[in-house]
């Protein structure tokens, strides 16, 4: 009455329930509560994909400080006066339609042991898995005069899109023609490797068309242009000769706020608009969670799950992670991290091991003037032996030359990735 | 007793089979298509009017041919010739198959 075949079925089924990595199956078996902290490119994507891929079987709470999403990519066009803040702002309403519970609040503490997250105004949240995607925090110790909020409102970073973006635009508009805009770039790694060079290009474009006697001065702590070097240099040589000056090996030591002076090791540079992109580290919450940091800055994670190498149940995404070789700290990459984390978490919540066949891709578009764009692309594959993501040999590359077609693709990319994460 | 022994050994076999089964990720096609979504929209459904080519619901053979033409350089591209070189024939097959059945 109970034949061998039935036995196989019964044994297989029960083993599937009680063991990790049991029988294969869809993620809809996953149940539990995931709390995602940070609704940027990484966190918002993870929240949506957890709901979508689980067919709603997993509860997701997203904790986000801001009431709306404001994109860092494309924000340099706002700085240059080509776009408005509204153009790069997206509501969180779309995520609510996926059944994500969105709480606008600050996290004040996380207890990885008890799996609890404490919020400033909304009490405590218990979780089965937590996803931390807080982006970067600035290392103000490296620019001591900018520690206070008042100083930070005068010498802007505009490296987190929002009020700072609008304020920098205002400073540039208010600057007299013939003035100097100086931009300081920290040593890599930092958020968005080509971003500073795009900003320098777009401010130079603004000056060329509206304030032709003005200058852009790039003070780069790095010994050379970090990303798309040849393409940026070509654009600067062709378009901005006499407007844009690039100085490598120019690490910022401090600033004088009142006189808007950048203090370098051997030099002082006074500007009419001084824009400081400070050195960065993983969002403070990551360190607070007990997750292991490399160099006291970036979280070390398992690339098959995005889980911290030591803080169990805590998955870390985006700019906060210790980047794999040749992997940029980009919004595109954070979106990919969010999907890998979502897939792995659904496996784990269903009692299965995460997949080790992990692929990620990246494309970063940069505007060099109002109409022309350049890109850098890469494809990354998990290497089980080296336990990291490596670029696939022969893949990736940059634009052949700056071109107008990719300006259309850059905006098309933005609209699609915003929809991919938020609607 | 003999039946119980048999049951136990089958359970042990199932345990051994676990990691092997996990390697053949049943969600691989879904996960790979998530790499396309950044530019082409969730499950290949691009935002209308945003200027990106729709890839959801296209015939599988057509998609495979197109991606492989990007990869070989036969079909001109701005970025897809560089992205497609990161994926194997098997992965392209899975991606195209998953996209083709999206409605």
């Amino acid at each position: 009455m109970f034949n061998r075949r039935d036995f196989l079925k019964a044994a297989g089924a029960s083993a599937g329930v009680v063991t990790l990595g049991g029988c294969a199956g869809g993620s809809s078996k996953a149940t539990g509560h995931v709390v995602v902290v940070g609704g940027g490119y990484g966190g918002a994507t993870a929240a949506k994909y957890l709901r979508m891929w689980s067919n709603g079987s997993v509860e997701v709470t997203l904790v986000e400080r801001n009431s709306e999403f404001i994109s860092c990519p494309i924000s340099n066009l706002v700085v240059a006066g080509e776009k408005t803040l509204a153009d790069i702002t997206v509501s969180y309403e779309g995520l609510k339609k996926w059944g994500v519970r969105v709480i606008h609040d600050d996290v004040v503490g996380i207890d990885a042991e008890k799996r609890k997250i404490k919020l400033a105004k909304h009490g405590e949240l218990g979780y089965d898995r937590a996803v931390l995607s807080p982006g970067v925090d600035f290392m103000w110790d490296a620019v001591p005069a900018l520690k206070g909020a008042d100083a930070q409102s005068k010498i802007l970073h505009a490296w987190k899109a929002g009020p700072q973006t609008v304020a920098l635009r205002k400073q540039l508009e208010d600057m007299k023609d013939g003035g100097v805009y100086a931009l300081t770039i920290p040593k890599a790694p930092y958020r968005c490797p080509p971003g500073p060079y795009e900003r320098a290009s777009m401010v130079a474009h603004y000056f060329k068309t509206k304030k032709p006697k003005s200058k852009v001065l790039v003070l780069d702590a790095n010994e050379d242009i970090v990303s798309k070097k040849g393409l940026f240099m070509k654009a600067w040589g062709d378009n901005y000769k006499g407007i844009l000056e690039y100085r490598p090996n120019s690490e910022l030591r401090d600033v004088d706020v009142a006189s808007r002076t950048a203090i370098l090791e051997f030099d002082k540079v006074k500007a009419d608009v001084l824009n400081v992109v400070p050195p960065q580290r993983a969002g403070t919450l990551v360190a607070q969670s007990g997750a292991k940091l490399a160099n006291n800055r970036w979280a070390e994670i398992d690339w098959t799950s995005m889980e911290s190498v030591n803080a169990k149940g805590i998955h870390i995404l985006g700019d906060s992670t210790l980047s794999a070789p040749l992997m940029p700290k980009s919004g595109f990459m954070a979106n990919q991290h969010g999907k890998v984390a979502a897939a792995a978490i659904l496996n784990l919540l269903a009692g299965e091991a995460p997949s080790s066949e992990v692929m990620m891709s990246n494309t970063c578009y940069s505007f060099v003037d109002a109409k022309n764009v350049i890109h850098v692309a890469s494809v990354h594959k998990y290497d089980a032996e080296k336990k990291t993501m490596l670029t696939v040999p022969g893949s990736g590359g940059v634009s052949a030359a700056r071109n107008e077609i990719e300006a259309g693709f850059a905006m098309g990319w933005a609209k699609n990735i915003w929809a991919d994460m938020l609607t | 007793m003999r039946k119980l022994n048999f049951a136990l050994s089958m359970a042990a076999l199932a345990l051994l089979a676990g990691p092997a089964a996990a390697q053949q990720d049943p969600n691989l096609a879904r996960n790979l298509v998530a790499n396309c979504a950044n530019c082409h929209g969730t499950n290949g459904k691009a935002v209308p009017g945003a200027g990106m080519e729709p890839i959801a619901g296209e015939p599988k053979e057509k998609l495979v041919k197109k991606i492989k033409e990007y990869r070989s350089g036969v079909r001109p591209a701005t970025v897809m010739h560089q992205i497609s070189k990161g994926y194997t024939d098997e992965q392209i097959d899975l991606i195209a198959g998953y996209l083709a059945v999206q409605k």
Side-chain angles (χ1 to χ4, degrees):
Chain A
M1 60 180 220
F2 204 60
N3 65 26
R4 196 189 147 107
R5 223 170 131 194
D6 290 328
F7 250 126
L8 277 169
K9 269 195 212 158
S14 62
V17 171
V18 295
T19 67
L20 273 179
C23 57
S27 296
S28 54
K29 285 190 300 179
T31 55
H33 181 216
V34 181
V35 175
V36 181
V37 182
Y41 280 89
T45 304
K48 170 178 159 177
Y49 273 74
L50 280 164
R51 291 291 298 168
M52 186 174 82
W53 281 347
S54 74
N55 294 317
S57 72
V58 168
E59 302 286 320
V60 178
T61 303
L62 173 68
V63 182
E64 164 57 43
R65 179 183 289 153
N66 299 317
S67 58
E68 290 175 305
F69 167 79
I70 304 175
S71 175
C72 275
I74 314 297
S75 70
N76 281 332
L77 297 192
V78 179
V79 170
E82 299 289 333
K83 297 267 177 209
T84 65
L85 201 69
D87 294 329
I88 60 168
T89 301
V90 185
S91 152
Y92 283 108
E93 288 304 311
L95 279 183
K96 293 178 191 164
K97 287 184 194 146
W98 281 102
V100 176
R101 181 161 66 127
V102 181
I103 300 176
H104 295 291
D105 203 348
D106 278 300
V107 171
V108 292
I110 178 164
D111 187 332
E113 199 93 338
K114 292 184 183 148
R115 304 209 172 200
K116 281 189 190 320
I117 287 174
K118 195 161 185 273
L119 304 179
K121 289 176 292 197
H122 292 81
E124 257 184 3
L125 294 170
Y127 64 83
D128 296 297
R129 297 256 154 201
V131 177
L132 306 185
S133 193
V136 293
D137 273 345
F138 297 119
M139 298 165 72
W140 293 115
D141 283 348
V143 198
L146 290 184
K147 276 186 189 170
D150 185 53
Q152 288 170 27
S153 73
K154 291 184 174 121
I155 308 293
L156 305 167
H157 56 79
W159 217 240
K160 295 183 181 186
Q164 284 257 334
T165 311
V166 176
L168 180 58
R169 175 64 199 158
K170 177 91 174 36
Q171 286 190 355
L172 289 168
E173 280 175 352
D174 293 346
M175 191 191 85
K176 66 180 190 299
D177 190 11
V180 173
Y181 162 76
L183 169 66
T184 74
I185 306 174
K187 277 201 173 122
Y190 55 84
R191 160 179 284 183
C192 190
Y197 310 105
E198 178 189 60
R199 179 171 294 177
S201 305
M202 289 309 297
V203 174
H205 170 79
Y206 167 60
F207 288 169
K208 188 179 176 178
T209 48
K210 300 280 163 57
K211 294 180 178 176
K213 287 182 269 178
S214 310
K215 299 270 182 287
V216 173
L217 181 57
V218 183
L219 302 169
D220 195 342
N222 298 285
E223 61 184 17
D224 210 340
I225 295 168
V226 169
S227 176
K228 297 181 248 191
K229 180 189 167 190
L231 291 162
F232 276 116
M233 284 181 67
K234 181 85 169 64
W236 294 351
D238 292 348
N239 292 341
Y240 308 128
K241 217 172 255 175
I243 297 175
L244 191 154
E245 184 189 334
Y246 176 74
R247 290 190 201 166
N249 300 311
S250 301
E251 187 167 21
L252 188 73
R253 293 297 167 92
D254 206 351
V255 298
D256 182 67
V257 177
S259 64
R260 295 179 300 274
T261 299
I263 302 165
L264 313 176
E265 193 179 4
F266 302 114
D267 202 1
K268 287 183 179 179
V269 179
K270 193 180 172 326
D272 297 285
V273 175
L274 178 58
N275 181 190
V276 170
V277 179
Q280 298 146 32
R281 63 157 74 103
T284 309
L285 178 65
V286 173
Q288 204 268 317
S289 74
K292 190 181 173 203
L293 300 182
N295 204 14
N296 203 25
R297 287 176 78 180
W298 311 112
E300 293 184 39
I301 48 115
D302 175 343
W303 288 101
T304 63
S305 62
M306 306 302 296
E307 189 172 13
S308 161
V309 292
N310 67 306
K312 292 301 153 203
I314 293 185
H315 302 252
I316 301 162
L317 313 181
D319 296 346
S320 284
T321 57
L322 175 66
S323 303
L326 302 174
M327 184 181 279
K329 294 190 182 300
S330 69
F332 197 120
M333 211 72 245
N335 167 289
Q336 298 274 272
H337 293 175
K339 291 163 182 173
V340 171
I345 287 169
L346 294 180
N347 276 18
L348 290 163
L349 291 176
E352 297 164 10
S355 168
S356 59
E357 190 160 354
V358 175
M359 298 288 297
M360 297 179 187
S361 62
N362 184 76
T363 304
C364 288
Y365 291 107
S366 304
F367 283 79
V368 292
D369 58 52
K371 286 185 179 158
N372 285 281
V373 158
I374 56 179
H375 83 253
V376 57
S378 52
V379 182
H380 309 251
K381 181 182 176 25
Y382 182 68
D383 186 300
E385 208 172 295
K386 297 203 169 82
K387 290 191 163 47
T388 189
M389 302 294 295
L390 298 179
T391 52
V392 179
S395 71
V398 298
S399 305
R402 67 177 184 274
N403 65 86
E404 295 192 11
I405 298 171
E406 288 192 281
F409 287 151
M411 290 315 300
W413 164 78
K415 284 175 187 151
N416 276 290
I417 197 168
W418 295 340
D420 188 38
M421 50 194 278
L422 290 161
T423 59
Chain B
M1 189 62 200
R2 211 177 144 187
K3 253 185 184 169
L4 185 61
N5 275 341
F6 182 63
L8 284 172
S9 67
M10 290 320 293
L13 270 176
L15 278 170
L16 284 172
Q23 272 169 19
Q24 294 156 3
D25 179 9
N27 296 313
L28 184 57
R30 180 198 75 179
N31 295 350
L32 288 169
V33 165
N35 288 17
C36 312
N38 303 49
C39 298
H40 292 279
T42 305
N43 293 323
K45 292 171 199 160
V47 173
M52 305 304 288
E53 213 163 323
I55 52 173
E58 295 288 308
K60 182 182 171 183
E61 297 70 31
K62 189 181 152 192
L63 287 168
V64 169
K65 184 167 177 282
K66 216 165 166 180
I67 299 170
K68 287 188 177 170
E69 283 174 356
Y70 282 133
R71 204 174 56 175
S72 71
V74 169
R75 186 182 282 266
T78 54
V79 68
M80 274 308 295
H81 58 307
Q82 296 166 347
I83 299 285
S84 55
K85 286 190 184 80
Y87 296 87
T88 63
D89 283 353
E90 293 73 26
Q91 289 171 333
I92 290 171
D93 203 66
L94 284 170
I95 289 168
Y98 192 90
L99 286 170
V101 298
Q102 299 300 314
K103 291 188 184 102

